[in-house]
């Protein structure tokens, strides 16, 4: 009670002129009828850059920028509105300072009673900085929305049933369809029929909370009706009340996919030529290899005929000889089969293979080639692992390295001619190395070599190593080599293990 009394007394003792004079906000008292300035505080003087006397002598219009919106007439109208209303009249204004600078202010007009005549108190505050900040914010948001519109990435929110709830404006640049046209549509209307299953699996798993996030690729029809390849990262927000959708970040990778397809085609072609060339070089040795079982079979048949002609044949003996003849012919058949497989054109197909199995498909070929050049061959497949690869292409890499190794020992009659093929697990990779005792690789690093057509052989093409490298790298692996002392080179490639 006492405190309230003290407060009351203090209020009574306050000099409102002082409060008015030193207030932080600009305050001007207008005549409610004429709009004439009767009083201005110090903050008002600072804001307008004029003395109180000057302000009192000027019409309100002289303190404004004086365009259609901010002029004397509008100011007077506002004062009249405020004079008629009980509450605060709030408005935005652009004032003109004495130095010619325009300042944006926020004003409040309030009717007050001043003895015998009605007055209007105008309280204004400089908001130019806030305005500037707002303008910058708007510019930034325009900038970002422009950025998003032109981005090569898109964002979409897909409902559990496949409905596109939201898609960013960048869709127009990505598939040529305006975002507003796609919103509300079903995503399956756009997807390639073969890829629709991927999306339905993602959505089904998301509904069951069986997946939190992941990636997938799909084909989508653009405005021109062409299929584009997309890569997407998704996050399951179906059970988040703020989204109730799967958030998908997508990006067009058509150029990359087409480039990879071209590269693969090129690899296939080159690999086919390379295999034909290797087979051609090995023709003599192959003929010899096939000839051996054929001759053996002919001998067995001749033996059988002799026994039959001699009369009273031993059928057990003849049957055994026919078995042997059959085995020899099968051996010849297997050799021919290997050559046919090795030289035939094939479609690329990446499957999971054990590296040992990939190697065994080519080992007889390697053995024949080594025998042909009287090279001592050592194969140590100590480690094995599953890799996802194109079997024929990886066989191509191995045979290129083997042939290079053997050729590096050409004409080396006084020194050991040994080729060693070894596999070894190295962390997440399996490495295959081919080591020879030849003349040594004529460079310090593979980077030093021209990408293609480098050869030191009279009949060389200089494509083998670049082909090996491109095949290995397209499998996510690496190709490298080391010089071996006293002579020779060890080429190795490593493939990621599944
Ligand atoms: P090509 O065998 O047609 O010459 P490659 O690209 O396979 O094409 O090899 C390019 C060159 O690299 C060869 O000419 C040879 O000089 C060198 N080279 C490759 N492998 C070896 C190796 N194991 N030892 C020494 N030199 C090698």
């Amino acid at each position: 009670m006492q405190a309230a009394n003290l407060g009351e007394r203090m209020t009574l003792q306050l000099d409102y002129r002082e409060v008015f004079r030193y207030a932080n906000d600009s305050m001007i008292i207008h005549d409610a009828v004429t709009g004439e300035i009767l009083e201005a505080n110090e903050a008002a003087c600072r804001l307008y850059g004029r003395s109180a006397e000057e302000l009192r002598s000027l019409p309100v219009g002289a303190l404004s920028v004086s365009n259609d919106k901010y002029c004397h007439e509008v100011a007077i109208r506002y004062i009249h509105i405020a004079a008629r209303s009980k509450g605060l009249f709030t408005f935005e204004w652009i004032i003109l300072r004495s130095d010619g600078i325009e300042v944006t202010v926020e004003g409040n007009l309030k009717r007050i009673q001043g003895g015998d005549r009605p007055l209007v108190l105008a309280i204004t505050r400089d908001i130019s900085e806030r305005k500037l900040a707002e303008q910058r914010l708007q510019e930034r948001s325009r900038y970002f929305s422009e950025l998003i519109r032109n981005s090569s990435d898109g964002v979409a929110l897909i409902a559990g049933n496949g409905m596109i709830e939201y898609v960013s404006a960048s869709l127009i640049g990505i598939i040529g369809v305006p975002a507003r046209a796609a919103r509300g549509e079903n995503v399956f209307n756009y997807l390639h029929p073969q890829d629709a299953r991927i999306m339905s699996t993602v959505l089904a798993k998301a509904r069951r909370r069986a997946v939190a996030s992941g990636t997938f690729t799909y084909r989508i029809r653009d405005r021109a009706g062409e299929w584009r390849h997309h890569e997407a990262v998704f996050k399951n927000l179906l059970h988040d009340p703020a989204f109730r959708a799967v958030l998908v970040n997508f990006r067009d990778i058509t150029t990359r996919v087409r480039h990879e397809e071209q590269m693969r085609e090129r690899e296939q072609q080159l690999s086919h030529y390379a295999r034909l060339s290797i087979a051609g070089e090995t023709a003599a040795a192959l003929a010899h290899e096939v000839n051996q079982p054929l001759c053996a079979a002919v001998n067995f048949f001749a033996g059988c005929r002799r026994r039959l002609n001699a009369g009273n044949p031993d059928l057990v003996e003849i049957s055994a000889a026919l078995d042997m003849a059959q085995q020899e012919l099968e051996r010849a058949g297997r050799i021919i089969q290997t050559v046919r497989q090795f030289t035939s054109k094939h479609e690329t197909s990446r499957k999971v293979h054990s590296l040992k199995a990939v190697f065994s498909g080519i080992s007889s070929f390697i053995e024949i080639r080594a025998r042909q050049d009287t090279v001592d061959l050592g194969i140590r497949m100590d480690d094995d692992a599953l890799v996802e690869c194109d079997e024929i292409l990886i066989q191509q890499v191995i045979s290129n390295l083997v042939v290079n190794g053997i050729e590096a020992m050409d004409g080396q009659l006084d020194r050991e001619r040994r080729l060693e093929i070894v596999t070894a697990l190295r962390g997440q990779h399996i490495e295959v190395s081919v080591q020879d005792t030849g003349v040594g690789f004529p460079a310090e690093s593979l980077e030093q070599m021209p990408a293609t057509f480098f050869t030191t052989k009279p009949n060389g093409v200089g494509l083998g190593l670049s082909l090996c490298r491109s095949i290995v790298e397209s499998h996510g692996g690496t190709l490298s080599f080391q010089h071996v002392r006293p002579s020779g080179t060890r080429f190795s490639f490593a493939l990621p293990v599944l």
Side-chain angles (χ1 to χ4, degrees):
M1 202 58 189
Q2 256 192 337
N5 283 343
L6 185 65
E8 221 169 81
R9 252 182 287 131
M10 275 184 67
T11 317
L12 290 173
Q13 283 162 12
L14 269 178
D15 182 346
Y16 287 104
R17 291 196 139 275
E18 291 280 292
V19 176
F20 174 80
R21 194 171 157 198
Y22 298 114
N24 259 338
D25 290 337
S26 146
M27 290 184 175
I28 287 180
I29 295 172
H30 295 272
D31 182 297
V33 182
T34 61
E36 185 189 342
I37 295 175
L38 303 174
E39 200 59 79
N41 73 352
E42 288 191 358
C45 296
R46 282 197 300 276
L47 179 63
Y48 290 92
R50 298 178 189 274
S51 68
E53 291 74 45
E54 258 184 290
L55 286 175
R56 279 196 295 268
S57 67
L58 287 168
V60 279
L63 302 174
S64 309
V65 284
S66 292
N67 56 23
D68 289 353
K69 221 169 151 196
Y70 309 112
C71 59
H72 186 79
E73 291 69 33
V74 179
I76 297 292
R77 198 165 72 235
Y78 284 1
I79 290 170
H80 288 167
I81 294 172
R84 285 197 302 273
S85 75
K86 283 191 191 127
L88 273 181
F89 177 75
T90 306
F91 62 100
E92 234 178 68
W93 199 257
I94 301 179
I95 64 162
L96 186 68
R97 287 169 47 99
S98 63
D99 52 13
I101 293 176
E102 295 175 7
V103 181
T104 310
V105 296
E106 183 184 73
N108 288 305
L109 295 179
K110 173 82 182 84
R111 186 181 75 189
I112 53 173
Q113 200 53 44
D116 52 346
R117 55 173 164 171
L119 304 172
V120 168
L121 170 66
I123 304 173
T124 45
R125 175 177 295 175
D126 179 352
I127 56 162
S128 45
E129 272 187 23
R130 195 181 84 197
K131 276 270 150 198
L132 203 68
E134 272 174 15
Q135 195 184 333
R136 284 207 188 116
L137 208 69
Q138 270 174 11
E139 273 166 16
R140 276 205 93 61
S141 76
R142 249 207 323 275
Y143 167 81
F144 280 120
S145 67
E146 197 61 11
L147 210 67
I148 288 172
R149 229 169 62 79
N150 293 308
S151 160
S152 56
D153 284 24
V155 182
L157 285 170
I158 311 289
N161 60 3
M163 205 199 36
I164 305 169
E165 297 215 323
Y166 166 82
V167 61
S168 59
S170 55
L171 191 71
I172 182 89
I174 301 175
I175 59 165
V177 175
R180 62 181 145 36
R183 281 177 209 157
E185 283 236 31
N186 199 299
V187 72
F188 293 101
N189 296 342
Y190 291 93
L191 293 179
H192 191 289
Q194 281 169 8
D195 299 337
R197 229 190 45 217
I198 305 171
M199 179 61 91
S200 54
T201 311
V202 166
L203 292 177
K205 281 189 176 173
R207 286 194 299 266
R208 292 200 311 272
R209 294 179 196 257
V211 67
S213 60
T215 56
F216 62 98
T217 55
Y218 58 90
R219 278 160 294 171
I220 191 162
R221 199 198 304 272
D222 69 9
R223 199 188 160 92
E226 262 192 55
W227 293 111
R228 312 283 308 173
H229 293 264
H230 279 191
E231 180 180 70
V233 182
F234 71 90
K235 193 160 187 214
N236 183 5
L237 301 175
L238 268 184
H239 308 280
D240 182 330
F243 291 93
R244 301 231 173 270
V246 174
L247 174 70
V248 182
N249 255 287
F250 55 92
R251 148 181 310 188
D252 191 307
I253 52 161
T254 312
T255 318
R256 196 177 85 198
V257 169
R258 301 228 165 110
H259 179 70
E260 280 170 6
E261 273 167 8
Q262 276 172 359
M263 289 292 286
R264 229 171 289 146
E265 249 170 53
R266 178 179 160 261
E267 267 170 17
Q268 248 177 47
Q269 263 176 8
L270 286 176
S271 139
H272 186 226
Y273 294 142
R275 271 178 284 139
L276 283 178
S277 133
I278 291 176
E281 283 170 21
T282 326
L286 275 171
H288 177 70
E289 290 293 316
V290 177
N291 202 32
Q292 268 185 345
L294 287 183
C295 287
V298 167
N299 284 339
F300 285 123
F301 287 135
C304 290
R305 186 177 293 276
R306 262 199 321 274
R307 281 180 176 76
L308 284 170
N309 288 343
N312 198 15
D314 179 344
L315 289 183
V316 178
E317 230 181 58
I318 288 183
S319 166
L322 284 175
D323 277 350
M324 305 277 257
Q326 186 178 343
Q327 276 172 24
E328 290 298 328
L329 287 179
E330 280 171 357
R331 185 154 82 93
R334 275 199 302 276
I335 296 172
I336 291 169
Q337 186 64 16
T338 316
V339 179
R340 262 184 48 193
Q341 263 178 13
F342 186 67
T343 52
S344 70
K345 251 195 167 141
H346 80 294
E347 293 297 313
T348 38
S349 67
R350 291 207 176 174
K351 294 199 186 110
V352 177
H353 296 283
S354 99
L355 197 70
K356 244 183 199 168
V358 173
F359 185 80
S360 69
I362 198 183
S363 58
S364 50
F365 205 81
I366 291 173
E367 283 158 13
I368 294 171
R369 185 64 219 249
R371 262 205 302 281
Q372 182 189 12
D373 281 57
T374 48
V375 164
D376 178 15
L377 183 68
I379 300 176
R380 275 195 291 121
M381 296 255 131
D382 295 341
D383 286 341
D384 190 19
L386 291 179
V387 287
E388 191 180 352
C389 70
D390 184 316
E391 185 186 15
I392 302 284
L393 289 184
I394 296 304
Q395 287 174 348
Q396 176 65 47
V397 173
I398 301 173
S399 65
N400 273 0
L401 297 183
V402 165
V403 170
N404 273 350
I406 291 176
E407 286 178 349
M409 299 183 282
D410 257 3
Q412 189 174 287
L413 301 173
D414 50 337
R415 259 187 288 140
E416 189 191 20
R417 292 151 64 83
R418 183 165 174 75
L419 192 82
E420 269 192 18
I421 304 171
V422 179
T423 58
L425 267 171
R426 305 218 183 279
Q428 295 301 305
H429 288 78
I430 181 130
E431 186 190 76
V432 180
S433 61
V434 179
Q435 180 170 331
D436 60 69
T437 54
V439 286
F441 189 66
E444 281 314 306
S445 73
L446 282 178
E447 280 66 36
Q448 271 185 7
M449 299 235 318
T452 45
F453 307 124
F454 167 79
T455 183
T456 54
K457 301 169 194 167
N459 301 320
V461 183
L463 272 177
L465 282 180
S466 81
L467 185 67
C468 288
R469 195 169 172 186
S470 114
I471 293 175
V472 169
E473 285 176 0
S474 76
H475 281 77
T478 48
L479 176 77
S480 59
F481 78 90
Q482 283 130 33
H483 295 292
V484 179
R485 302 281 162 245
S487 78
T489 315
R490 198 173 89 102
F491 265 94
S492 26
F493 68 90
L495 295 178
V497 169
L498 271 191

